[in-house]
Amino acid sequence: MNDSLLKPWILRRAGRVSALVLGALAASAGCATSQGPSAEAPSAGAAPGADPGAAASAGPAQTNLLKASDFNDNKSLPWTTSFTAPGAGSAEVKNGAYCVTVTNKGSNNWDAQFRHREMVIQKGHSYTIQYKAWASAPTKARPKVGMSGPPYDEYWYETVELGTEPKTFSGKFSMAKADDATAELAFHIGGAMASAKEPFEVCIDDIRLDDPEFRAAAPAGDAAAAAPKVAVNQVGYLPGAIKIASVSNAATAPLAWELLDGSGKPVARGQTKVFGKDGASGDHVHLVDFTAHKAPGQGYVLKVGEEKSYPFDIGADIYQKLKYDALAYFYHNRSGIEIKMPYAGKPELARPAGHLQDKSTRCLKGSGCDYALDASRGWYDAGDHGKYVVNGGISVWTLLNWHERTKHLGSSSADFGDGKLSIPEGKNNVPDILDEARWEIEFLLGMQVPEGKPLAGMVHHKMHDDAWTGLGLAPHEDKMTRSLHKPSTAATLNVAAVGAQCARVWKTVDAAFSARCLKAAERAWAAAKQNPALYAPPGGDKGGGPYDDTDVKDDFYWAAAELFVTTGKPEYKQYLQASPLNARFPTEVDGVASSMNWKVTDALGQISMAIVPGHVDAAWQQQLRGRIAKAADQYLAVAEKEGYRTLVQRTPAGKYEWGSNSFVLNNMLVVALAHDFTKQPKYLDGVVLGMDYLLGRNALGQSYVTGYGDKPLENPHHRFWAHQANGKYPKAPPGAVSGGPNSSLQDPHVQSAGLKGCVAQRCFVDHIEAWSVNEITINWNAPFAWVTAFLDEKAGK
């Protein structure tokens, strides 16, 4: 799970919101700590603050380092808030000023703060600062210029008294230390320093940080506005599949379109179909259907009037590399192993092994256990370094399900065989996709409570750092203590399900590992039945998200299904047939049209029963397949009502939820299975439409995948792939998929981006700090790899 540098407040994973209360962590708040200067004494090299009332010359506009100074455009980026629990509050632009409301000032000055980053403070340069500030009630503020990460050296600071009327403050300093390419200007307004009673408001305006030697670059312009109004899949289209483009155009009558080949020659023509107002984007949309053009080629462009699309290809090979890049995500995010060349792809993506200390991970103080477990291996869950059983479970299931699906229904097993992925286990006579999945399974098995201990057979819910870490941190650089958290019924049933799936998959590959998986699965099943209501606490912990779930009937069903498919034992069949969940295939997850996520898992069991022959009788299996096809029809009906033909539905309030792209992906997986079961072309079309949306046929013209498209994802939220936050770290490798638009805008970056009230598809920015819209996770990249591999397989037919 992720957090941003200072993730407060909320964690939601694939549509599930939970409060996440952070502990007071100075490192993630970018504040002075015991390692850095105090409020009373400047650090070595810090110049004392100038007289707060003294005037300073503003200087020419181009010498101002700040990217937002007067807030007259109703935006405040890159100014954002940071609250460290118990600190809490919010910010907005009011009457052309940036105003922060503090509802809990916390214990430390930095527990409530706002800040500006994305600037360089250079050695030997002299700086002046000037700003207007006021508050709703008299209080103090402590502005400072300094490092945004440890050891938090400060180059200038002052403590000022704020009144209820705007007052101009100023200061100056010279930089005596080495260049700081990631400096920040922050205002600490919390803790004992704040004399106002909560809630109170602090506002700033007309703020400048000037360096006479600095020259601002010319504005880059609005990338979103520059996206073509003719939206296409920026990677391309399969020759024999549906080919749809969406056009934003106010015309109420059809428009002429032309398809131009790589030389600019028209090769197809037609008229658009007027869709009309699209609620998810706010656009008036036309549709272009150029399915009839099947000729492979590169550099096609679709032209509607004077508007042209990004160039794209038509070819059977457009997903061949992408499916491997999507799977490479898992190798890159392995814990406990060196990520090295040639497997890393690029030298800058290589790194030493991270978190070797996980081999002996002790229980969190107060969690009720007193032992250590080998919690090594596994995949880092998302942008941070936590490892969660309930998110790992569905991710492993998805990769193993692809393996079983290709074995029983598909034709591309060889594409994922030994030596096909770029991983160190190649040439060991085991399919590479199984080698990758096993890295996580070993972690899951290691989280099980040993015999002789309280709750033996149950599984610890998660393990992660004891406090939040910041962006720009490789796994091997993370020295935070890590701990096991309490066992939960949900985690235990995840291991029961995945362990059973592992047992049947590895039976002919590694009999000993198969037996180990089955033993763990059956121990977990028995333990969960004895402890059916041990729930992860809501609200989260310092350093990690809660993944809380108080309804585990679906997890029991999933585990029973996997155990029955593997063993055929009557007890599991009886449990399934007695469950009310056996009467339907789910099509709603937390109010969103979808069939599964980490929290809702009974669909996983039904899919396994629908695919794997043997213990499930033919009539039951056919019934399950029919239900899956019926669910797929619902998702196709969603796409028909969308101008950008996506498989994600807005909530009744017109919103997209956290991880909206994950709903697209999981719905695509269901639709793909319907095609496997029925061979009906409409289902293949549905999968294509979903991929088109993810790769650029959307309102922003945004490819939500790193390394793919003319406007690819660039800056997902990730500790190590943190080049945007700190240039010494690499950019993300190709093949990572973003969670995508999220109407709730939970993180400070998107809250400062002027997106308040955004229409669903437009609630997105591609920025590393925008964790509520730009998170990446193992349980999103797993279905992305699944559906990409599906389309590549179908391309050959």
Side-chain angles (χ1 to χ4, degrees):
M1 82 124 261
N2 81 4
D3 63 329
S4 172
L5 256 162
L6 357 80
K7 187 166 195 178
W9 334 296
I10 297 176
L11 168 70
R12 177 191 282 243
R13 190 56 52 94
R16 170 70 172 173
V17 171
S18 302
L20 173 56
V21 181
L22 289 187
L25 176 61
S28 63
C31 53
T33 70
S34 59
Q35 297 175 305
S38 68
E40 287 73 34
S43 62
D51 177 4
S57 174
Q62 67 266 28
T63 67
N64 186 7
L65 276 68
L66 304 182
K67 297 181 180 179
S69 292
D70 60 18
F71 315 106
N72 292 335
D73 61 357
N74 206 38
K75 297 179 182 179
S76 56
L77 282 180
W79 290 96
T80 59
T81 58
S82 168
F83 294 98
T84 303
S90 60
E92 63 178 309
V93 176
K94 292 184 177 181
N95 300 317
Y98 183 60
C99 295
V100 178
T101 298
V102 178
T103 55
N104 188 323
K105 58 189 176 184
S107 305
N108 304 298
N109 295 350
W110 53 81
D111 287 351
Q113 63 171 289
F114 54 95
R115 66 200 184 185
H116 180 299
R117 291 181 169 175
E118 303 182 16
M119 59 186 183
V120 181
I121 302 296
Q122 294 179 273
K123 183 176 181 178
H125 289 212
S126 296
Y127 297 85
T128 59
I129 182 170
Q130 179 172 290
Y131 58 96
K132 291 180 183 177
W134 64 97
S136 58
T139 190
K140 293 181 180 179
R142 186 178 185 273
K144 64 102 174 180
V145 177
M147 298 173 68
S148 61
Y152 302 105
D153 284 347
E154 296 181 341
Y155 316 130
W156 169 87
Y157 74 87
E158 65 181 6
T159 300
V160 297
E161 300 275 355
L162 302 183
T164 57
E165 296 296 326
K167 181 180 178 180
T168 298
F169 300 88
S170 62
K172 60 183 178 180
F173 67 97
S174 295
M175 182 61 167
K177 297 190 176 184
D179 289 3
D180 185 345
T182 58
E184 69 175 7
L185 167 58
F187 283 73
H188 295 171
I189 55 174
M193 177 186 65
S195 54
K197 182 179 179 181
E198 303 107 318
F200 64 92
E201 183 179 75
V202 173
C203 298
I204 61 168
D205 197 6
D206 298 334
I207 182 166
R208 303 180 60 86
L209 178 59
D210 282 288
D211 171 6
E213 300 180 64
F214 172 74
R215 293 294 181 270
D222 187 346
K229 293 185 177 182
V230 181
V232 297
N233 181 325
Q234 294 167 22
V235 172
Y237 295 85
L238 299 174
I242 192 172
K243 302 176 188 68
I244 298 291
S246 297
V247 183
S248 175
N249 192 294
T252 57
L255 302 170
W257 61 263
E258 288 185 318
L259 180 64
L260 311 179
D261 66 13
S263 67
K265 175 185 175 182
V267 292
R269 292 184 174 90
Q271 295 283 312
T272 64
K273 178 181 178 181
V274 180
F275 175 87
K277 183 66 176 290
D278 176 50
S281 65
D283 295 340
H284 188 271
V285 175
H286 292 233
L287 297 172
V288 175
D289 186 340
F290 57 107
T291 304
H293 188 82
K294 303 179 186 298
Q298 297 180 327
Y300 283 103
V301 170
L302 191 64
K303 183 179 179 182
V304 180
E306 297 303 313
E307 296 287 342
K308 292 183 178 180
S309 72
Y310 284 128
F312 57 88
D313 298 343
I314 296 177
D317 61 349
I318 59 173
Y319 297 122
Q320 282 183 7
K321 185 176 185 296
L322 180 53
K323 69 182 181 184
Y324 292 127
D325 285 341
L327 285 169
Y329 179 97
F330 297 94
Y331 172 70
H332 283 289
N333 284 285
R334 286 188 189 184
S335 173
I337 186 175
E338 180 186 1
I339 304 303
K340 59 185 180 181
M341 293 296 290
Y343 314 112
K346 295 181 178 180
E348 59 266 30
L349 293 166
R351 58 172 172 80
H355 301 102
L356 295 177
Q357 69 270 32
D358 288 358
K359 289 185 71 67
S360 181
T361 308
R362 300 205 62 82
C363 297
L364 183 71
K365 184 177 179 180
S367 63
C369 64
D370 60 357
Y371 48 80
L373 293 181
D374 182 354
S376 61
R377 301 198 180 191
W379 304 312
Y380 298 120
D381 179 68
D384 65 318
H385 298 141
K387 295 186 286 191
Y388 304 81
V389 170
V390 295
N391 220 38
I394 189 173
S395 303
V396 166
W397 177 90
T398 304
L399 298 192
L400 296 185
N401 178 261
W402 175 253
H403 173 78
E404 292 194 297
R405 179 259 166 208
T406 57
K407 178 180 177 180
H408 300 298
L409 299 171
S411 59
S412 59
S413 289
D415 288 358
F416 306 92
D418 191 25
K420 290 294 187 178
L421 304 186
S422 184
I423 58 175
E425 295 84 0
K427 308 304 180 184
N428 65 351
N429 296 316
V430 175
D432 282 354
I433 196 169
L434 300 188
D435 285 325
E436 190 57 70
R438 182 168 178 166
W439 196 263
E440 178 74 6
I441 294 171
E442 294 277 8
F443 160 71
L444 298 177
L445 298 180
M447 294 288 279
Q448 192 165 32
V449 178
E451 293 293 352
K453 299 294 184 181
L455 300 176
M458 294 293 283
V459 176
H460 287 270
H461 195 71
K462 59 181 181 171
M463 69 86 61
H464 54 66
D465 291 344
D466 286 357
W468 288 109
T469 57
L471 290 170
L473 186 73
H476 67 282
E477 298 170 336
D478 182 4
K479 306 305 180 184
M480 189 74 65
T481 300
R482 294 157 70 78
S483 302
L484 297 170
H485 290 246
K486 292 180 180 180
S488 72
T489 304
T492 303
L493 291 167
N494 268 255
V495 168
V498 171
Q501 188 187 29
C502 163
R504 66 176 180 264
V505 168
W506 265 269
K507 187 173 183 179
T508 59
V509 176
D510 184 335
F513 186 58
S514 171
R516 179 184 164 203
C517 284
L518 185 58
K519 181 180 179 181
E522 297 205 297
R523 282 186 67 224
W525 174 260
K529 290 186 71 177
Q530 292 176 357
N531 302 277
L534 286 183
Y535 305 132
D541 303 280
K542 299 176 184 179
Y547 284 95
D548 55 314
D549 183 2
T550 57
D551 182 357
V552 295
K553 293 188 296 292
D554 54 306
D555 302 294
F556 270 108
Y557 185 95
W558 175 32
E562 300 294 350
L563 283 160
F564 176 61
V565 172
T566 298
T567 69
K569 290 183 178 179
E571 65 175 288
Y572 303 125
K573 183 176 183 179
Q574 290 166 8
Y575 186 93
L576 293 169
Q577 293 183 333
S579 172
L581 301 182
N582 199 49
R584 89 290 181 272
F585 186 80
T587 55
E588 182 178 311
V589 172
D590 286 344
V592 178
S594 194
S595 295
M596 62 270 200
N597 65 358
W598 67 265
K599 180 176 169 282
V600 180
T601 57
D602 50 307
L604 310 183
Q606 294 197 40
I607 289 171
S608 290
M609 290 193 293
I611 289 175
V612 182
H615 298 300
V616 181
D617 65 70
W620 191 5
Q621 192 170 71
Q622 196 59 36
Q623 182 184 56
L624 290 167
R625 292 182 174 189
R627 289 176 181 170
I628 290 170
K630 186 176 180 181
D633 287 334
Q634 293 187 42
Y635 303 144
L636 295 184
V638 168
E640 281 295 313
K641 298 177 183 178
E642 298 292 324
Y644 287 90
R645 287 297 191 258
T646 182
L647 277 68
V648 64
Q649 188 174 40
R650 286 167 290 144
T651 66
K655 296 182 176 182
Y656 276 1
E657 299 289 358
W658 187 310
S660 61
N661 286 346
S662 72
F663 294 116
V664 177
L665 288 162
N666 284 327
N667 293 352
M668 289 167 68
L669 192 155
V670 171
V671 174
L673 288 170
H675 184 267
D676 282 336
F677 298 151
T678 69
K679 310 304 180 188
Q680 293 186 40
K682 67 177 181 179
Y683 297 121
L684 176 58
D685 290 348
V687 183
V688 170
L689 292 175
M691 187 63 78
D692 291 347
Y693 171 81
L694 296 173
L695 292 175
R697 193 176 45 73
N698 52 61
L700 298 179
Q702 174 74 59
S703 168
Y704 290 109
V705 180
T706 56
Y708 284 85
D710 294 87
K711 188 182 178 184
L713 186 74
E714 295 277 2
N715 302 299
H717 179 82
H718 196 271
R719 290 293 185 283
F720 180 52
W721 302 335
H723 189 79
Q724 187 181 32
N726 188 328
K728 82 173 189 177
Y729 294 96
K731 295 182 178 181
V737 64
S738 169
N742 169 19
S743 302
S744 296
L745 304 175
Q746 285 94 339
D747 67 80
H749 186 89
V750 291
Q751 291 166 4
S752 300
L755 293 180
K756 185 177 181 180
C758 54
V759 181
Q761 277 193 31
R762 298 185 179 278
C763 298
F764 177 82
V765 291
D766 181 9
H767 196 281
I768 193 170
E769 296 271 13
W771 45 260
S772 68
V773 300
N774 212 20
E775 182 177 24
I776 50 178
T777 75
I778 54 175
N779 64 310
W780 299 348
N781 245 75
F784 181 60
W786 197 110
V787 297
T788 305
F790 173 86
L791 287 174
D792 188 55
E793 180 186 284
K794 297 302 177 184
K797 294 185 176 180

